[in-house]
Amino acid sequence: MLQRLCIFQRVVQPFIWRHQETTKRLVPGLPTALPDGLRAAGHRSGSSSPNVTERTLIAVKPDGVQRRLVGQIIRRFEQRGFKLVGLKMLQVSEDLLAQHYCELRTKPFYPSLQQYMTSGPVVIMVWEGYNVVRTSRTMVGHTNPAEAQAGTVRGDFGIHVSRNVVHASDSLEGAQREIKLWFQGKDLLKWDCCDQTSTCEDEES
Ligand code: IDP
Ligand code: MG
């Protein structure tokens, strides 16, 4: 089952995206999607309204929890203007990790990644806001902290690819898949942030 899901993600999904890209280019007025599928869902509707309800999955990995970085990482997302809609702490099972990283299971580093990711508690969060998938990848920085810019989480708190402190979904589709994997719908809260119109243009204006 896992294998089939991975085959779908590697072989079929890129084809679907390419097909969607081609279709968009043929239809005047439709915005061009970014090649990595990072564009917010709201932009796909043809509306100019920003999709302020886009969501992404962010995790503080075991090294980040051990080093007491949870507060600093949450602070960066709050400070940026995103809204926390789900949060939990748990120790990940090998099975859940295999589903989360299904594309990486054949990589030579997977056994050590599994050992690291299941070694202690992680803090899993869902953050919501305009363009949150793409912006959070920028905030988190390059996979390898040695190449990550200063000012990013990995650039400020990491030195080696095997201990890179945080996870952030890498595309809108990935975020949707990961959020479903880690959270039940009832555990994600819909709530109004009092400063919403100060962080993003009102949808109706
Ligand atoms: P990402 O976390 O930036 O999206 P991915 O390529 O999806 O990067 O890899 C997932 C995780 O696997 C990384 O965050 C890192 O923990 C681990 N990883 C990736 N490449 C290596 C490697 O070459 N050696 C050890 N661990 C790696
Ligand atoms: Mg990734």
Side-chain angles (χ1 to χ4, degrees), residues 137 167-168 170:
R137 286 292 289 190
H167 166 81
D170 68 0

Side-chain angles (χ1 to χ4, degrees), residues 54-71:
E54 183 174 313
R55 289 176 170 181
T56 197
L57 188 96
I58 302 294
V60 184
K61 295 179 176 182
D63 52 330
V65 176
Q66 289 290 338
R67 294 171 57 201
R68 302 179 182 85
L69 296 174
V70 175

Side-chain angles (χ1 to χ4, degrees), residues 178-190:
E178 290 170 6
I179 290 169
K180 269 199 204 130
L181 187 63
W182 291 88
F183 286 89
Q184 295 190 341
K186 67 177 174 56
D187 296 328
L188 299 174
L189 300 190
K190 222 172 180 283

Side-chain angles (χ1 to χ4, degrees), residues 61 101 104 109 112-113 116-117 137 141-143 154 160-164 166-168 170:
K61 295 179 176 182
Y101 279 143
L104 301 179
F109 59 81
S112 63
L113 176 63
Y116 151 57
M117 287 295 295
R137 286 292 289 190
H142 196 284
T143 302
R154 288 165 172 169
H160 194 267
V161 68
S162 65
R163 299 287 183 274
N164 62 3
V166 273
H167 166 81
D170 68 0

Side-chain angles (χ1 to χ4, degrees), residues 1-192:
M1 181 64 193
L2 267 180
Q3 243 173 354
R4 276 198 211 134
L5 186 65
C6 284
I7 289 168
F8 174 81
Q9 286 183 326
R10 263 188 261 129
V11 181
V12 183
Q13 213 167 45
F15 171 78
I16 294 172
W17 284 341
R18 273 203 299 278
H19 177 72
Q20 285 173 341
E21 288 286 284
T22 315
T23 312
K24 281 194 184 101
R25 267 185 248 118
L26 292 174
V27 181
L30 271 185
T32 312
L34 295 170
D36 51 5
L38 293 181
R39 184 75 76 172
H43 290 272
R44 293 189 177 135
S45 66
S47 149
S48 62
S49 304
N51 181 9
V52 293
T53 58
E54 183 174 313
R55 289 176 170 181
T56 197
L57 188 96
I58 302 294
V60 184
K61 295 179 176 182
D63 52 330
V65 176
Q66 289 290 338
R67 294 171 57 201
R68 302 179 182 85
L69 296 174
V70 175
Q72 295 194 58
I73 291 164
I74 289 180
R75 181 163 175 244
R76 288 181 179 220
F77 283 86
E78 286 192 324
Q79 192 172 278
R80 189 72 192 245
F82 293 121
K83 181 165 76 176
L84 184 61
V85 296
L87 177 138
K88 64 181 172 186
M89 188 178 198
L90 70 153
Q91 187 145 357
V92 187
S93 67
E94 290 182 5
D95 182 50
L96 180 56
L97 190 78
Q99 292 181 62
H100 176 77
Y101 279 143
C102 71
E103 286 171 332
L104 301 179
R105 288 186 73 210
T106 53
K107 299 280 185 193
F109 59 81
Y110 188 78
S112 63
L113 176 63
Q114 175 181 282
Q115 206 281 326
Y116 151 57
M117 287 295 295
T118 58
S119 67
V122 294
V123 172
I124 311 285
M125 299 172 274
V126 177
W127 288 89
E128 183 180 289
Y130 174 68
N131 214 22
V132 67
V133 174
R134 185 180 187 144
T135 304
S136 60
R137 286 292 289 190
T138 308
M139 290 167 67
V140 160
H142 196 284
T143 302
N144 185 350
E147 312 221 1
Q149 302 264 337
T152 63
V153 177
R154 288 165 172 169
D156 289 350
F157 299 122
I159 51 173
H160 194 267
V161 68
S162 65
R163 299 287 183 274
N164 62 3
V165 187
V166 273
H167 166 81
S169 308
D170 68 0
S171 65
L172 191 62
E173 291 75 8
Q176 286 164 352
R177 183 185 77 82
E178 290 170 6
I179 290 169
K180 269 199 204 130
L181 187 63
W182 291 88
F183 286 89
Q184 295 190 341
K186 67 177 174 56
D187 296 328
L188 299 174
L189 300 190
K190 222 172 180 283
W191 61 285
D192 290 327

